[in-house]
């Protein structure tokens, strides 16, 4: 579990589209994980936690699913790092 403040994630409309969200949707960490394919959630959580714990970059591929139609799937490659201010 990560104790960083994830009450709001700042995504542009293109990223929201990848997660089947409306452009004006509020996004938090729970919505992020809810939209990830169930088979990819734990792997994604582990990659993010590893980045936070080790201040290391991540490079993962996961799928997102539409909440009303699970057959609608998008693949995403996410690369990044945890930034500490």
């Amino acid at each position: 579990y990560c104790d960083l403040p994830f009450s709001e994630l700042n995504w542009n409309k293109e990223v929201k589209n990848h997660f089947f969200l409306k452009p004006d949707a509020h996004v938090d960490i729970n919505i992020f994980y809810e939209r990830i394919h169930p088979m990819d959630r734990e792997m994604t959580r582990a990659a993010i936690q590893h980045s936070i714990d080790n201040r290391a970059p991540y490079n993962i591929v996961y799928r997102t699913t539409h909440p009303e139609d699970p057959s609608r799937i998008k693949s995403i490659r996410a690369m990044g790092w945890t930034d500490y201010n």
Side-chain angles (χ1 to χ4, degrees), residues 49-69:
Q49 191 64 53
H50 181 267
S51 176
I52 293 166
D53 292 346
N54 298 287
R55 298 182 182 215
Y58 58 89
N59 182 351
I60 57 174
V61 176
Y62 56 84
R63 297 164 290 172
T64 59
T65 59
H66 192 285
E68 296 168 11
D69 182 1

Side-chain angles (χ1 to χ4, degrees), residues 13-67:
K13 64 182 180 181
E14 289 82 15
V15 174
K16 289 178 182 181
N17 181 50
H18 290 305
F19 284 79
F20 303 99
L21 294 164
K22 294 180 180 179
D24 62 345
H26 171 82
V27 185
D28 62 26
I29 197 68
N30 294 322
I31 292 171
F32 169 71
Y33 285 123
E34 286 171 4
R35 297 295 173 104
I36 293 177
H37 191 284
M39 294 179 67
D40 297 345
R41 284 183 192 145
E42 188 53 40
M43 169 198 67
T44 304
R45 284 183 204 271
I48 292 170
Q49 191 64 53
H50 181 267
S51 176
I52 293 166
D53 292 346
N54 298 287
R55 298 182 182 215
Y58 58 89
N59 182 351
I60 57 174
V61 176
Y62 56 84
R63 297 164 290 172
T64 59
T65 59
H66 192 285

